[in-house]
C-alpha cells in the first residue's frame, strides 16, 4: 500500500510540475539607467504550451514601440506557438520598457525625462538579468521604436568591443518597421511632421512629468490605417486596446529624441552595425502601407545597417492593408509573409 501511495504521489507531482512548467510567468529586473536612476523592468515569459515538458525551438525576446506595451506582441506570439506541428518558438520574452505596461516608473528621475539612450540601457540590463536567470534568447525582435533600440544596443556593444552575438549569443535580429536612426533618411522626421505630431499629444502628468499621451481611438488610427486612411482588417477597437493594455504613455523626451525634435538629435547607430562580420543576421520587415517608414527609406536603411546591397534580408509585404501594426491586426498573415521562413531557417 505504501508503495502504491508513493507511486501515486510521484505521478501527481509529475503532473503538477508539467502543468506549472508551461504556465506563463513574469520576471522583474531592476536596471540602473543612470547613476542614482533605476527602473524595474517587467518581462512576461510565455512558454509554448504544445511542447509538453520538452522545449523545442528558440527563445525569442521582443521590444515594443513608442506608446506601445509588451502586450502588443501577444497576437504574434500566439501565432508563433501555433505554427506547424510544434510551433516556431519555445519561449517568448516580452519586455515592457520602463514606465510602459507593467514596468515601474523610474526612481531618481521623472518618467517623462527618459531618453532613448535610457531605453537602450534598460534593454541591455534586462538581457543581462535574464541571462543570470537562465533565460537566454537566441533572437531579438523590435518593432518601430523598439527596432531602433535593437540597433542602438548593437551599436553600443560594438563600441565597447562586444556585440549581441558575443555578449548574449544572439545571432538573429528582426526589425519590424523600425524607426530611422540619424544615419538613415526619414522624411517623416526631416519634414517636421513628426515633431508636430508628437508635440500635439504632449501633456504634463503630475506623477510622470511630460508625456506623449494618445487616446485609444487616435492610437488605432495612427497605427492601423493605410495611406488611404482605411483600417486594416483585424484592427482592435478602442475598448480592446484599453482592455489589453496595448496603449501606453510615452516619455516626452524619448519621443522627441526619436523624431529629432529640438533640442534633441535622433539616435545614431554608426555604420553597418549588422554587417555579417558582427555575427547577427538581420531581417528588416517593410509593410507597403506603413505611414511612418516609406519603402525607399526602409530599403536605404537596411543597406546602411548591413552593407547588403542585394537586400537578401529585406522582407517586403505588399498588401493594401500592410500597415505599421500589421503584426497586431493580422498576425497570421504577418508571420507567414514576413518571419516564418526566417524563423524556420534559424531554428
Amino acid at each position: 500500500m505504501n508503495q502504491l501511495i508513493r507511486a501515486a504521489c510521484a505521478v501527481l507531482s509529475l503532473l503538477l510540475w508539467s502543468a506549472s512548467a508551461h504556465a506563463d510567468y513574469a520576471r522583474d529586473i531592476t536596471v540602473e539607467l543612470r547613476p542614482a536612476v533605476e527602473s524595474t523592468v517587467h518581462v512576461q515569459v510565455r512558454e509554448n504550451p504544445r511542447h509538453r515538458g520538452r522545449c523545442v525551438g528558440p527563445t525569442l525576446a521582443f521590444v515594443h514601440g513608442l506608446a506601445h506595451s509588451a502586450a502588443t506582441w501577444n497576437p504574434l506570439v500566439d501565432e508563433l506557438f501555433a505554427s506547424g506541428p510544434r510551433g516556431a518558438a519555445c519561449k517568448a520574452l516580452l519586455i515592457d520598457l520602463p514606465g510602459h505596461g507593467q514596468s515601474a516608473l523610474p526612481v531618481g528621475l521623472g518618467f517623462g525625462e527618459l531618453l532613448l539612450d535610457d531605453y537602450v540601457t534598460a534593454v541591455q540590463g534586462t538581457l543581462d538579468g535574464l541571462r543570470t536567470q537562465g533565460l537566454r534568447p537566441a533572437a531579438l525582435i523590435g518593432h518601430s521604436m523598439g527596432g531602433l533600440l535593437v540597433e542602438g544596443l548593437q551599436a553600443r556593444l560594438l563600441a565597447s568591443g562586444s556585440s549581441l552575438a558575443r555578449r548574449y549569443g544572439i545571432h538573429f535580429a528582426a526589425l519590424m518597421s523600425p524607426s530611422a536612426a540619424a544615419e538613415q533618411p526619414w522624411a517623416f522626421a526631416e519634414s517636421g511632421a513628426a515633431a508636430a505630431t508628437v508635440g500635439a499629444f504632449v501633456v504634463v502628468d503630475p506623477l510622470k512629468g511630460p508625456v506623449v499621451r494618445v487616446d485609444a481611438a487616435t492610437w488605432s488610427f495612427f497605427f492601423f490605417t493605410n495611406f488611404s486612411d482605411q483600417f486594416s482588417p483585424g484592427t482592435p477597437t478602442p475598448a480592446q486596446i484599453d482592455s489589453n493594455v496595448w496603449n501606453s504613455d510615452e516619455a516626452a523626451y524619448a519621443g522627441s529624441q526619436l523624431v529629432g525634435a529640438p533640442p534633441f538629435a535622433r539616435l545614431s547607430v554608426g555604420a553597418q552595425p549588422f554587417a555579417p562580420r558582427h555575427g547577427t543576421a538581420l531581417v528588416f520587415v517593410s509593410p507597403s502601407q506603413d505611414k511612418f517608414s516609406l519603402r525607399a527609406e526602409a530599403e536605404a536603411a537596411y543597406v546602411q545597417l548591413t552593407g547588403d546591397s542585394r537586400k537578401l534580408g529585406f522582407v517586403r509585404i505588399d498588401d493594401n492593408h500592410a500597415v505599421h501594426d500589421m503584426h497586431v491586426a493580422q498576425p497570421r498573415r504577418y508571420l507567414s509573409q514576413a518571419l516564418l521562413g526566417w524563423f524556420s531557417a534559424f531554428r
Side-chain angles (χ1 to χ4, degrees), residues 50-336:
R50 303 168 67 194
H51 286 177
R52 301 182 183 277
R54 185 179 178 185
C55 205
V56 178
T59 294
L60 313 174
F62 295 82
V63 186
H64 64 78
L66 178 142
H68 286 52
S69 75
T72 54
W73 291 111
N74 282 320
L76 186 65
V77 171
D78 289 343
E79 293 298 332
L80 275 167
F81 286 171
S83 175
R86 298 294 298 270
C90 163
K91 291 185 180 72
L93 313 176
L94 312 184
I95 301 170
D96 266 318
L97 293 171
H100 297 70
Q102 299 184 66
S103 285
L105 295 175
V107 176
L109 185 73
F111 168 69
E113 299 175 74
L114 292 180
L115 294 168
L116 297 182
D117 310 83
D118 298 310
Y119 290 165
V120 172
T121 301
V123 175
Q124 180 175 346
T126 300
L127 292 175
D128 287 338
L130 290 170
R131 184 173 53 173
T132 65
Q133 299 180 27
L135 293 168
R136 298 173 177 265
L140 186 59
I141 297 96
H143 171 249
S144 194
M145 180 183 75
L148 178 59
L149 299 180
V150 172
E151 297 174 29
L153 176 55
Q154 174 75 330
R156 179 183 293 182
L157 292 172
L158 291 173
S160 67
S162 185
S163 67
L164 288 171
R166 287 192 289 272
R167 187 179 180 108
Y168 301 111
I170 292 175
H171 294 282
F172 179 88
L175 308 181
M176 299 158 51
S177 302
S179 303
E183 294 82 2
Q184 301 157 12
W186 194 16
F188 181 59
E190 293 159 4
S191 67
T197 300
V198 169
F201 293 95
V202 172
V203 300
V204 179
D205 183 273
L207 180 62
K208 301 178 180 180
V211 298
V212 180
R213 178 169 294 165
V214 184
D215 64 89
T218 306
W219 193 87
S220 177
F221 180 80
F222 277 171
F223 299 122
F224 293 93
T225 56
N226 62 16
F227 291 123
S228 299
D229 291 339
Q230 298 172 317
F231 283 94
S232 168
T235 295
T237 66
Q240 289 172 323
I241 291 168
D242 286 335
S243 65
N244 287 309
V245 196
W246 286 343
N247 193 1
S248 179
D249 283 348
E250 185 57 68
Y253 284 19
S256 298
Q257 186 184 8
L258 182 74
V259 300
F264 301 97
R266 285 158 56 198
L267 188 69
S268 174
V269 300
Q272 300 182 14
F274 287 97
R277 66 182 180 276
H278 298 312
T280 300
L282 183 70
V283 167
F284 189 120
V285 184
S286 172
S288 60
Q289 296 290 312
D290 191 337
K291 294 179 175 180
F292 302 105
S293 179
L294 304 180
R295 174 61 56 79
E297 296 174 344
E299 290 182 339
Y302 170 80
V303 174
Q304 188 274 326
L305 291 169
T306 64
D308 173 22
S309 59
R310 293 184 296 170
K311 305 185 182 79
L312 297 179
F314 189 82
V315 180
R316 303 164 182 84
I317 306 181
D318 294 318
D319 183 283
N320 193 45
H321 296 293
V323 297
H324 191 71
D325 273 22
M326 185 182 178
H327 68 292
V328 179
Q330 301 185 74
R332 182 172 300 180
R333 293 189 62 205
Y334 192 94
L335 180 62
S336 64

Side-chain angles (χ1 to χ4, degrees), residues 12-24 47 49 52-53:
L12 180 59
S13 297
L14 180 61
L15 291 173
L16 289 173
W17 176 86
S18 179
S20 64
H22 294 295
D24 294 347
E47 294 192 351
R52 301 182 183 277

